[in-house]
Amino acid sequence: MKVHVLTIGDEILIGQIIDTNSSWIAQRLNLIGMKVSQMKSISDELSDIKSQLQLSLNAVDVVIITGGLGPTKDDITKKALAEFLNVPLVLHEETLQSLFRFFTKIGRDPNTMDLAQQAQVPENTVVLPNKMGTAPGMWLNTGLGKVIISLPGVPYEMEYLMENEVIPKLQTTFPSEIIIHKTLLIAGIPETTLSQRLETFENELPHFIKLAYLPALSQIRLRLSCSGDNKQLLEGLILEKTNQLHNILGQLVAGEDEDTLPVVIGRILKKNNYQLACAESCTGGFLSHIITLVPGSSQYFKGAIVSYANEIKEKSLGVNPVTIEKYGAVSEETVIEMLHGLLAHTNADIGVAISGVAGPDGGTLEKPVGTIWVALGSKEKHQTFLVKAGKNREKNIQYAAYVSLNYLRLFLLN
Amino acid sequence: MKVHVLTIGDEILIGQIIDTNSSWIAQRLNLIGMKVSQMKSISDELSDIKSQLQLSLNAVDVVIITGGLGPTKDDITKKALAEFLNVPLVLHEETLQSLFRFFTKIGRDPNTMDLAQQAQVPENTVVLPNKMGTAPGMWLNTGLGKVIISLPGVPYEMEYLMENEVIPKLQTTFPSEIIIHKTLLIAGIPETTLSQRLETFENELPHFIKLAYLPALSQIRLRLSCSGDNKQLLEGLILEKTNQLHNILGQLVAGEDEDTLPVVIGRILKKNNYQLACAESCTGGFLSHIITLVPGSSQYFKGAIVSYANEIKEKSLGVNPVTIEKYGAVSEETVIEMLHGLLAHTNADIGVAISGVAGPDGGTLEKPVGTIWVALGSKEKHQTFLVKAGKNREKNIQYAAYVSLNYLRLFLLN
């Protein structure tokens, strides 16, 4: 089952934003055994949209369009779809009512706005209600069993509609063979080393089981996919292969399925009834951010001191100014004092302290950009780590945070 | 002058990597007045590559291909190009010699490798020497004045070849019309209201000037694009229209071009020699994170207290437990005390304090998920705001942070 993804918007074609929707859609469709065979980014022009729709429908059964659904003048996807299908745009009453409720709720007067235009859809459209925004998703049957699906370009709206509306509807409309996936979250090993470690395992996999590496910053998702007709057999096989991977990789396996490092950490902390706190210098709040993105994190996260200025390191964390002067703010000595100051001040059971040179400036010969010190542990026992990251500020911040979380995971486990 | 960009590689179609090359190429071509009218990602299949090449050459004069040139990919792009142009693959002597030198230099024996295959190109190719890697770039004239340009998929190799070989050669081969862009960052107004406010302005734009809306969370980028032959005239027109937008929108214009709210805030703080600090509850470090993503933010950012637990609000920020008990942690009274405690503790000139219900749990009838209180200002003068966000935890966190930054911008300006 092949799918084309069409991204509409001049902002992509001039390189102002990078299309991440197509990639997300491709990954998600893969999980239900559908394959994106082409991704196209095209302009906000009626004729272009129509001719590309035609080309794609000649080649595949499902075309997913993102973008061009906003209320402004340059958003013309709906008009293009109506012209392409040779149907009028008609008012969708439920969408109009939901827009009315939405704007009333956020304190704006819906009567001053042209909501009717926003609530229009091509005739015969199956409207996919968008609980995350104002532009509805649309499912349009084009005849001959082919389908056009139009979604907003805003990623979280698109993702919501894919998960809750499109995927279930695709699965019932185009039933395919059974695919079972199992994902393991691997942390603390580079991809090349991991693939060497798994060479024999991979070579011994039967042809209907595939292993995919999905690398992210300092983490890799390993995905086993197994397809066939007999669900019970497939589930047994996946379980067997998953257990083999656990045996080979041990504590390198940080979690399963949708787990992320912050989720895994949260689970361990809750289980042990530990309270966590952070002292962040170069990561500037990012570590606390990814920890608190997890719903319910207030159960185990006390808070953080983002000690960007040395003055805050001294005042809030009790770091000795002499330590900073002698060893530098980016040093093992300083992060240890940050950690102990943090634990004393917040009364947390476990703490993480990070100080580094995120860049692009601030590097020296001895401590180049990407030099990051981490201390973590409790009042009784702590560990320190020197992390060597790269030259990109944003990546260094993210890398430092995720690597620290993985060290924290191992500390808590052992 | 229109260009298509073709990206070749299954790793893109399964969503494993995100294509950033097309965006980079589009931005770079825009600067010389060339316009990417389509970006396509296609699979590593011969027939697919050939048919997409034909489609693109029917539509435009220049097709740029990236990817499929590595030795592991069986040189599928070169084979496809040779078949498409109906010419044989021939050995390119200079490329062979440079491969020989390269592998000798990095300590591998070139005699053990099939370099001849790597040094083959379709007959009549103008080879573009790649000093950053082993796969050469290729410039292929297809007749009728049309050109196919094939580049490696590795971003820094592609970028090197574009800058040093492709751009100069395109400029001499296709002298073109000029395109000028101007982008304004708009904050504090919903897209629908903005488009109503700009209706007359938009209707009065000449046909060769376009206005695009690029919305992001609580911000909108407005982009004017203007194309023609007379650079001076176009620059004058864009300036005039930009000034008109400034007049219509006033302080809703937060910045220009690549500005972001954290960058704009940083500029105002530096100019006034102010030091900033944050007290974050529901945003959990995200506000500090986006502030410190800006290089050089240590010049004006002191740090933050992420007071996730009420205990930290009391201990680190001096919030009175009675205030929390009486009004709740999410209340105007609490954020005011957080702000004053923050300013006293950090000695910062300006502070921002946020407390809210990010969700999915913790909402009440009186304070549903998405209720966020913000206090900001100095010891002498502060303001408070009640922000009503939605139901999505991640979006609420981001929204609260960006809305607070915009309130901070207006506070600092007025």
Side-chain angles (χ1 to χ4, degrees):
Chain A
M1 182 72 209
K2 290 189 176 176
V3 178
H4 277 195
V5 180
L6 266 184
T7 314
I8 295 173
D10 285 341
E11 65 277 21
I12 291 166
L13 292 176
I14 65 161
Q16 190 153 358
I17 64 167
I18 291 171
D19 166 37
T20 55
N21 282 344
S22 301
S23 173
W24 191 93
I25 290 170
Q27 279 194 24
R28 190 62 191 84
L29 290 178
N30 259 284
L31 296 180
I32 58 164
M34 292 187 175
K35 201 171 163 177
V36 172
S37 60
Q38 198 173 106
M39 298 169 176
K40 252 184 292 195
S41 298
I42 62 175
S43 73
D44 291 319
E45 273 170 38
L46 267 182
S47 61
D48 209 21
I49 298 173
K50 290 191 287 180
S51 65
Q52 294 304 324
L53 271 175
Q54 190 59 60
L55 275 174
S56 286
L57 283 174
N58 291 346
V60 293
D61 290 340
V62 176
V63 180
I64 299 180
I65 309 179
T66 68
L69 290 180
T72 57
K73 248 183 139 182
D74 55 323
D75 290 321
I76 54 160
T77 302
K78 285 197 281 196
K79 199 174 169 203
L81 286 168
E83 285 190 15
F84 178 75
L85 296 166
N86 206 16
V87 295
L89 283 169
V90 295
L91 186 75
H92 188 253
E93 194 56 45
E94 286 166 41
T95 300
L96 182 64
Q97 286 169 14
S98 102
L99 287 172
F100 218 87
R101 282 193 302 272
F102 174 81
F103 286 110
T104 307
K105 194 182 154 198
I106 64 166
R108 295 181 52 203
D109 181 1
N111 295 306
T112 63
M113 303 162 74
D114 185 10
L115 295 185
Q117 190 255 353
Q118 284 188 63
Q120 280 185 334
V121 297
E123 201 172 50
N124 302 324
T125 295
V126 180
V127 170
L128 312 173
N130 176 3
K131 290 191 180 158
M132 295 291 161
T134 54
M138 295 180 284
W139 175 288
L140 304 107
N141 295 300
T142 70
L144 302 167
K146 304 205 171 195
V147 173
I148 301 173
I149 299 157
S150 166
L151 301 172
V154 182
Y156 64 83
E157 296 185 25
M158 178 281 290
E159 290 168 18
Y160 167 83
L161 282 165
M162 278 293 290
E163 283 299 350
N164 295 282
E165 301 286 339
V166 178
I167 294 286
K169 214 163 152 57
L170 281 174
Q171 281 180 303
T172 50
T173 315
F174 302 96
S176 63
E177 67 176 357
I178 297 162
I179 300 189
I180 292 179
H181 300 280
K182 183 72 192 177
T183 304
L184 295 183
L185 177 69
I186 312 297
I189 184 171
E191 191 183 354
T192 40
T193 319
L194 180 64
S195 73
Q196 282 164 7
R197 187 88 72 97
L198 295 180
E199 203 175 347
T200 314
F201 173 84
E202 271 197 87
N203 289 337
E204 285 169 359
L205 283 177
H207 72 277
F208 55 92
I209 303 187
K210 287 194 170 179
L211 183 70
Y213 292 72
L214 314 171
L217 216 62
S218 84
Q219 299 157 80
I220 299 157
R221 284 187 189 278
L222 273 183
R223 193 182 66 221
L224 283 164
S225 307
C226 187
S227 56
D229 298 320
N230 187 329
K231 197 181 172 191
Q232 217 180 342
L233 187 81
L234 295 177
E235 284 177 344
L237 265 170
I238 277 278
L239 183 64
E240 185 193 318
K241 293 296 162 191
T242 304
N243 288 338
Q244 277 183 30
L245 282 174
H246 274 288
N247 286 336
I248 299 169
L249 299 173
Q251 286 194 339
L252 292 170
V253 181
E256 298 198 343
D257 303 323
E258 303 304 312
D259 279 349
T260 62
L261 277 178
V263 166
V264 171
I265 296 286
R267 207 152 49 211
I268 304 173
L269 290 168
K270 259 194 289 190
K271 198 179 140 197
N272 290 287
N273 211 12
Y274 288 153
Q275 291 285 314
L276 176 69
C278 302
E280 302 192 55
S281 186
C282 67
T283 46
F286 182 74
L287 177 61
S288 305
H289 168 56
I290 57 176
I291 291 169
T292 55
L293 262 184
V294 180
S297 45
S298 58
Q299 285 173 60
Y300 51 82
F301 185 67
K302 280 205 154 176
I305 309 288
V306 180
S307 55
Y308 223 56
N310 286 343
E311 186 190 335
I312 306 290
K313 289 185 186 70
E314 294 160 15
K315 196 163 175 193
S316 301
L317 296 169
V319 175
N320 190 335
V322 177
T323 308
I324 295 180
E325 204 181 317
K326 195 167 168 191
Y327 302 101
V330 179
S331 65
E332 187 174 18
E333 291 78 4
T334 296
V335 287
I336 292 174
E337 290 192 20
M338 283 169 70
L339 174 67
H340 288 302
L342 174 75
L343 292 171
H345 179 72
T346 61
N347 214 18
D349 306 297
I350 303 285
V352 180
I354 307 181
S355 184
V357 190
D361 302 320
T364 62
L365 255 182
E366 197 199 345
K367 292 172 189 169
V369 168
T371 304
I372 295 151
W373 274 102
V374 181
L376 58 86
S378 63
K379 277 172 192 160
E380 293 73 34
K381 186 186 166 195
H382 71 259
Q383 296 178 340
T384 58
F385 303 92
L386 174 60
V387 179
K388 288 178 182 171
K391 287 185 178 162
N392 178 285
R393 179 179 182 85
E394 186 167 2
K395 280 197 183 142
N396 288 347
I397 290 169
Q398 295 174 352
Y399 187 75
Y402 280 104
V403 167
S404 300
L405 278 186
N406 193 44
Y407 284 135
L408 175 61
R409 176 180 72 91
L410 295 170
F411 176 86
L412 291 170
L413 288 181
N414 299 322
Chain B
M1 180 72 208
K2 290 188 177 176
V3 178
H4 277 195
V5 180
L6 266 184
T7 313
I8 296 173
D10 285 341
E11 65 277 22
I12 292 166
L13 292 177
I14 62 164
Q16 190 153 356
I17 64 167
I18 290 170
D19 166 37
T20 56
N21 282 343
S22 301
S23 174
W24 191 94
I25 289 170
Q27 277 194 23
R28 189 62 192 87
L29 290 177
N30 259 280
L31 297 180
I32 60 165
M34 290 187 176
K35 202 169 164 178
V36 172
S37 60
Q38 198 174 105
M39 298 168 176
K40 252 185 291 196
S41 297
I42 61 174
S43 74
D44 291 320
E45 275 170 37
L46 265 183
S47 61
D48 210 20
I49 299 174
K50 289 192 288 180
S51 66
Q52 294 304 324
L53 271 175
Q54 190 58 61
L55 275 174
S56 286
L57 283 174
N58 290 347
V60 294
D61 290 339
V62 177
V63 180
I64 298 180
I65 308 180
T66 68
L69 291 179
T72 55
K73 291 211 186 291
D74 212 23
D75 286 323
I76 190 92
T77 300
K78 285 198 278 196
K79 201 173 168 205
L81 286 168
E83 284 189 17
F84 179 75
L85 296 166
N86 206 17
V87 294
L89 284 168
V90 296
L91 186 76
H92 188 254
E93 194 56 48
E94 286 166 41
T95 299
L96 181 65
Q97 286 169 15
S98 104
L99 286 172
F100 218 87
R101 283 193 301 272
F102 174 80
F103 285 109
T104 308
K105 195 179 153 195
I106 65 166
R108 292 180 56 194
D109 182 1
N111 295 306
T112 63
M113 302 162 75
D114 184 12
L115 295 184
Q117 191 251 359
Q118 285 190 60
Q120 280 185 336
V121 296
E123 200 172 51
N124 303 323
T125 295
V126 180
V127 170
L128 311 173
N130 177 3
K131 290 191 179 159
M132 296 292 161
T134 55
M138 295 180 284
W139 176 287
L140 303 106
N141 295 300
T142 69
L144 302 168
K146 303 202 173 196
V147 173
I148 302 172
I149 299 158
S150 166
L151 302 172
V154 182
Y156 65 84
E157 296 184 26
M158 178 281 291
E159 289 168 19
Y160 168 85
L161 282 165
M162 278 293 291
E163 283 299 348
N164 295 282
E165 301 286 339
V166 178
I167 295 287
K169 211 162 153 60
L170 280 173
Q171 280 180 304
T172 51
T173 316
F174 304 96
S176 72
E177 75 171 359
I178 297 153
I179 304 185
I180 293 178
H181 300 283
K182 183 72 193 177
T183 304
L184 296 183
L185 176 69
I186 312 297
I189 184 171
E191 190 183 356
T192 39
T193 318
L194 180 65
S195 74
Q196 283 167 3
R197 186 89 69 99
L198 295 179
E199 202 175 347
T200 314
F201 172 84
E202 271 197 85
N203 288 336
E204 285 169 0
L205 284 178
H207 72 278
F208 55 92
I209 303 188
K210 285 191 170 187
L211 183 70
Y213 293 71
L214 316 172
L217 217 61
S218 83
Q219 301 158 75
I220 299 156
R221 285 187 188 279
L222 272 183
R223 191 187 67 229
L224 284 163
S225 307
C226 185
S227 57
D229 298 322
N230 187 329
K231 195 180 175 193
Q232 216 179 341
L233 187 78
L234 296 177
E235 284 178 343
L237 265 171
I238 277 276
L239 184 64
E240 185 192 316
K241 293 295 163 193
T242 304
N243 288 338
Q244 276 183 29
L245 283 174
H246 274 288
N247 285 337
I248 299 170
L249 299 173
Q251 286 194 337
L252 292 170
V253 180
E256 297 198 343
D257 302 324
E258 304 304 312
D259 280 348
T260 62
L261 276 179
V263 166
V264 171
I265 296 287
R267 205 151 52 211
I268 304 174
L269 290 168
K270 261 196 287 190
K271 198 179 142 198
N272 290 286
N273 211 12
Y274 287 153
Q275 292 285 314
L276 176 69
C278 301
E280 302 191 55
S281 185
C282 67
T283 47
F286 182 74
L287 178 61
S288 304
H289 168 55
I290 58 175
I291 291 169
T292 56
L293 263 184
V294 180
S297 45
S298 58
Q299 285 174 60
Y300 50 81
F301 185 67
K302 280 204 153 177
I305 310 288
V306 180
S307 55
Y308 223 56
N310 286 344
E311 185 190 335
I312 307 289
K313 290 185 185 72
E314 294 161 14
K315 196 163 174 192
S316 302
L317 295 169
V319 175
N320 190 335
V322 177
T323 308
I324 295 180
E325 205 180 316
K326 195 166 167 192
Y327 302 101
V330 178
S331 65
E332 187 174 18
E333 291 78 5
T334 297
V335 287
I336 292 174
E337 289 192 21
M338 283 169 70
L339 174 68
H340 288 302
L342 174 75
L343 292 171
H345 179 73
T346 62
N347 215 16
D349 306 297
I350 304 285
V352 180
I354 307 180
S355 185
V357 189
D361 302 320
T364 61
L365 255 183
E366 197 199 345
K367 291 172 189 171
V369 168
T371 305
I372 295 151
W373 273 101
V374 182
L376 57 86
S378 63
K379 279 173 190 158
E380 293 74 34
K381 186 186 165 193
H382 72 260
Q383 296 178 341
T384 57
F385 304 92
L386 173 61
V387 179
K388 288 178 184 175
K391 288 182 183 166
N392 178 282
R393 180 179 180 85
E394 183 166 6
K395 194 183 144 195
N396 288 348
I397 290 170
Q398 295 174 351
Y399 188 74
Y402 280 105
V403 167
S404 299
L405 278 185
N406 194 46
Y407 284 135
L408 175 61
R409 176 180 73 89
L410 295 171
F411 176 86
L412 291 169
L413 287 179
N414 299 320

